[in-house]
Amino acid sequence: MEYRYGKYYTGHQITAESAELPVSLEAVRMQLRMDDLRHDDEYLIMQIKAQCALIERQYQCALLNKTVVEYHSRFPQYSNDTLFVSGIGPVNSITSIQYYDDSNTLQTWASTEWNFTASSGGANVTLKPDYFWPTELAKRPDAVIVTYSAGYGAGPSALPPNVTAGLLARIARAYTNREDSREEGMSMSDVLLQPLKRWI
């Protein structure tokens, strides 16, 4: 866990989900060639939600924008070190960085003292010139709290085409094969969704 998420990462939680579905019901109906049928819409919506949630867990990603709160036990030690934010990707923006000081009081770290750069694995927070990482922190697993927005965009049109195609293939397979099955090797949807994998 330390290698994948950064040395002091301790966990994260999603505090706000997108109200949109990553793929529309109409797109799924077209994938299944049942454009004019509405009898199974409730089941289709359940499958969209279930398969998208499974993919987000599998690839530790946000398909559509959501708010993530990530916890670290401390800041980096040296001024040229990086605070790596990577619980959920892709990271769009950092809303705030807070920390509990040594009196256990929650402080908000001024954004004028740090920079944010998105990367393929998450985001890097670095110091601006002549500033230092806060050092007087409480000893607790959530001593540093980073709140950020992650996701490809606000609606289905923001997703890369390969991701949309992979999602539709997964949903269609789950819809047409409603029982557990044993599969070997990579499916077409696995290949299409492979770019979501975060090599960190």
Side-chain angles (χ1 to χ4, degrees), residues 1 5-12 70-74 140-144:
M1 180 173 288
Y5 294 109
K7 189 173 182 180
Y8 305 115
Y9 169 90
T10 57
H12 69 266
E70 184 168 310
Y71 306 103
H72 298 251
S73 60
R74 57 166 293 174
R140 48 189 292 171
D142 61 347
V144 178

Side-chain angles (χ1 to χ4, degrees), residues 110-175:
S111 59
T112 54
E113 299 185 15
W114 48 269
N115 290 311
F116 150 72
T117 306
S119 68
S120 59
N124 297 297
V125 178
T126 55
L127 292 170
K128 290 187 177 180
D130 302 321
Y131 288 103
F132 300 92
W133 300 105
T135 56
E136 304 300 323
L137 268 66
K139 292 182 179 180
R140 48 189 292 171
D142 61 347
V144 178
I145 304 170
V146 184
T147 302
Y148 59 93
S149 170
Y152 287 94
S157 62
L159 293 181
N162 63 291
V163 175
T164 300
L167 286 170
L168 291 172
R170 282 273 187 101
I171 294 163
R173 183 173 61 180
Y175 178 82

Side-chain angles (χ1 to χ4, degrees), residues 40-77:
D40 234 1
D41 280 2
E42 186 175 343
Y43 185 77
L44 286 177
I45 291 171
M46 182 192 74
Q47 282 296 345
I48 293 171
K49 291 179 178 179
Q51 293 302 316
C52 289
L54 178 62
I55 287 166
E56 288 184 323
R57 287 196 304 273
Q58 181 179 354
Y59 293 100
Q60 287 294 291
C61 69
L63 295 171
L64 298 184
N65 293 346
K66 58 185 66 183
T67 301
V68 184
V69 178
E70 184 168 310
Y71 306 103
H72 298 251
S73 60
R74 57 166 293 174
F75 284 110
Q77 185 174 1

